Structures are given as structure tokens and as C-alpha cells.
């Protein structure tokens, strides 16, 4: 499974500025995510689908509070990544300086 492990990146958006940590896990043969945004209560979410290639991961995530889906696209290298998350009503947020921790 591509991207497993604990990762961090910088986010600079109108809603949040700072470091975000995500732990990409395998549970029962499926992907799962644990997000950490210091000082932010993360709304309930459900992973609807994940598409994986050799070095990338794309996920559709349903955000209960919004009643809409977000799209996450990440490209991995050995110990780094870059990506974009598209949030409904907000737009695209770049995930910068992604690195394994």
C-alpha cells in the first residue's frame, strides 16, 4: 500500500495556517486516515473511495458537517509528498513541504 506511515505538511489557507499531520493506516485491507490539526476540531468524515497508483493516492472523503465530498490528491516520493485537497465551498488547498516523520 502506497503512502503508509506518518506524514506532515504545511497548509496556508484562509481557514488554517500551520502544520498538518496525517497518519495513513491500513485497517482490514483498506486505507484509513488519522488527521491532526493543532487547535482545530476535525469534523466527522467518511472515506468513500480511494484510487491508488504506484506513487499516488486519490481519495473522495464525505464531510458530514458540509454534506458534501472533498477530493484529496497526493503524489509520493521516497520520503516526501505534494498534494491538493479540494474542499467544497472553500476551493483548492495546496499541501506544501510534505515529509515523512
Amino acid at each position: 500500500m502506497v503512502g503508509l506511515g506518518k506524514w506532515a505538511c504545511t497548509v496556508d489557507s484562509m481557514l488554517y495556517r500551520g502544520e498538518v499531520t496525517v497518519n495513513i493506516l491500513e485497517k482490514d485491507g483498506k486505507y484509513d486516515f488519522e488527521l491532526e490539526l493543532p487547535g482545530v476540531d476535525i469534523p466527522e468524515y467518511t472515506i468513500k473511495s480511494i484510487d491508488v497508483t504506484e506513487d499516488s493516492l486519490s481519495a473522495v472523503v464525505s464531510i458530514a458537517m458540509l454534506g458534501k465530498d472533498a477530493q484529496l490528491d497526493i503524489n509520493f516520493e521516497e520520503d516526501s509528498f505534494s498534494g491538493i485537497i479540494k474542499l467544497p465551498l472553500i476551493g483548492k488547498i495546496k499541501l506544501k513541504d510534505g515529509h515523512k516523520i
Side-chain angles (χ1 to χ4, degrees), residues 30-77:
K30 295 182 180 181
Y31 279 94
D32 195 16
F33 302 101
E34 294 175 348
L35 299 171
E36 296 174 29
L37 284 90
V40 176
D41 289 328
I42 299 170
E44 186 177 324
Y45 63 90
T46 304
I47 300 169
K48 291 177 75 174
S49 67
I50 295 184
D51 293 319
V52 178
T53 66
E54 185 176 311
D55 60 355
S56 68
L57 183 146
S58 293
V60 176
V61 179
S62 176
I63 303 171
M65 181 174 96
L66 298 176
K68 298 189 182 262
D69 295 342
Q71 174 72 39
L72 173 66
D73 296 302
I74 301 175
N75 294 307
F76 293 95
E77 294 188 21

